[in-house]
Amino acid sequence: MDLTLAFAGLGVGIVVGLTGMGGGALMTPILVLVFGVPPVAAVSSDLAASAVMKPFGGWVHARRGTVNWRLVAWLCAGSIPSAFAGVLLLRLLGDDETVQHTIKIALGGALLLAAGGMLLKAWVTRNQRGDGPAEPITVRPIPTLLVGVGGGLIVGLTSVGSGSLIIVALLALYPKLRANDLVGTDLIQAIPLVISAAVGHALFGDLQLDIAGAVLIGSIPGVLLGARISSRAPGGIVRAALVIVLLASALKLLDVPTAAVGVITGTAVLIAVGLTIWRRNRRPVATVPSRNEAAEDDHQESVSAR
């Protein structure tokens, strides 16, 4: 077993536990860019690991009642068959070299969508609280089914989207859905989705159990650790770091020159730091009255008393 793969899985699992998303969007490009795993094998191995990892988070949300089961049913009705369709589409794209290149480009595009979606979600929910009373929502079957179809197809092709993309689409369709209900619903629907996509890849012989096993050994304790410390961690900083990693990975997968990737990523880091400082400076600071002001107030009070 490759211990470095396990440590990579540990890191990604911690991020998933902290943010509720980013498993496929981080693990697959790490396997491709860092460990040199062929894209198809990376996608299938990550899907197999996610199929075991996601139930841990889903079980917690199911116990807390933060799952909309009607949404889960409509999403799964579209995502499960379309995930198989995504795997079949890979078989129709051409020879091995063409398939690998196509998957690499598709993965880069999916990562860009995931990064943009996470920024949109952070902006829309910046003033929302996840611990308030749940508001009733009306499930829209056809749009929800189409979200499942699109998400399943992308997951079958790239392993990205079961968290980052679908959760953003749900946010757009159901803006009144609480943040924790949003995450819980997405985690539950992602379980059969990634299982169906992983089975499809396994049937075609793409799955490499040694890679999936090494990732899984690290990712399970990582998810548990991330979930444990998530209440104390600064979520905004974690999500900003995740967006930057997604952006850099997407640019590399899209064959952007390394120098350009460095400049763009560095600019993104500077923007994130600047926004953090700006937000802290905007917070109201309690002022302590000076001695002269306090004396003047006492004098005014004594005059009023007379």
Side-chain angles (χ1 to χ4, degrees), residues 27-38:
M27 196 68 246
T28 303
I30 287 175
L31 291 174
V32 174
L33 299 175
V34 178
F35 295 97
V37 177

Side-chain angles (χ1 to χ4, degrees), residues 282-298:
R282 286 189 62 193
R283 293 177 182 175
V285 180
T287 58
V288 179
S290 63
R291 291 184 178 181
N292 292 335
E293 292 174 343
E296 181 68 22
D297 292 341
D298 291 342

Side-chain angles (χ1 to χ4, degrees), residues 67-93:
V67 178
N68 189 307
W69 293 101
R70 286 198 64 198
L71 284 180
V72 169
W74 281 107
L75 287 169
C76 290
S79 64
I80 293 176
S82 65
F84 275 108
V87 178
L88 292 175
L89 183 59
L90 287 180
R91 303 293 100 191
L92 302 176
L93 290 177

Side-chain angles (χ1 to χ4, degrees), residues 224-240:
L224 296 176
L225 178 61
R228 182 176 293 272
I229 65 178
S230 61
S231 59
R232 302 179 182 178
I237 294 177
V238 174
R239 290 181 186 274

Side-chain angles (χ1 to χ4, degrees), residues 32-306:
V32 174
L33 299 175
V34 178
F35 295 97
V37 177
V40 172
V43 168
S44 59
S45 300
D46 176 68
L47 284 170
S50 295
V52 180
M53 179 175 61
K54 286 183 180 295
F56 285 89
W59 175 73
V60 173
H61 282 275
R63 287 190 59 189
R64 293 179 178 177
T66 53
V67 178
N68 189 307
W69 293 101
R70 286 198 64 198
L71 284 180
V72 169
W74 281 107
L75 287 169
C76 290
S79 64
I80 293 176
S82 65
F84 275 108
V87 178
L88 292 175
L89 183 59
L90 287 180
R91 303 293 100 191
L92 302 176
L93 290 177
D95 56 21
D96 290 340
E97 184 177 353
T98 302
V99 169
Q100 302 293 335
H101 180 72
T102 302
I103 289 301
K104 188 177 178 182
I105 298 301
L107 179 58
L111 292 187
L112 284 179
L113 289 175
M118 292 184 67
L119 287 174
L120 176 63
K121 179 179 181 294
W123 172 257
V124 173
T125 61
R126 64 191 184 281
N127 296 322
Q128 291 183 5
R129 291 171 58 91
D131 53 356
E135 295 187 33
I137 64 169
T138 302
V139 176
R140 302 164 61 186
I142 300 303
T144 306
L145 181 70
L146 293 177
V147 168
V149 171
L153 189 64
I154 295 176
V155 170
L157 284 168
T158 67
S159 84
V160 177
S162 60
S164 304
L165 299 179
I166 292 180
I167 201 171
V168 172
L170 286 177
L171 178 63
L173 280 176
Y174 305 101
K176 293 184 179 180
L177 195 63
R178 293 186 308 172
N180 51 2
D181 292 337
L182 196 66
V183 174
T185 300
D186 179 73
L187 278 173
I188 292 294
Q189 69 85 27
I191 295 172
L193 166 58
V194 296
I195 288 176
S196 63
V199 169
H201 280 282
L203 291 176
F204 286 105
D206 298 326
L207 178 61
Q208 295 188 15
L209 291 177
D210 54 340
I211 296 176
V215 171
L216 199 57
I217 288 175
S219 62
I220 289 178
V223 169
L224 296 176
L225 178 61
R228 182 176 293 272
I229 65 178
S230 61
S231 59
R232 302 179 182 178
I237 294 177
V238 174
R239 290 181 186 274
L242 180 56
V243 170
I244 292 170
V245 172
L246 293 178
L247 177 62
S249 299
L251 294 176
K252 282 299 294 180
L253 288 169
L254 293 173
D255 296 326
V256 175
T258 302
V261 172
V263 171
I264 296 172
T265 305
T267 303
V269 171
L270 292 176
I271 292 174
V273 172
L275 287 175
T276 301
I277 296 174
W278 177 68
R279 287 178 179 176
R280 288 183 179 179
N281 290 336
R282 286 189 62 193
R283 293 177 182 175
V285 180
T287 58
V288 179
S290 63
R291 291 184 178 181
N292 292 335
E293 292 174 343
E296 181 68 22
D297 292 341
D298 291 342
H299 176 70
Q300 294 293 336
E301 289 178 0
S302 62
V303 171
S304 299
R306 293 176 186 174

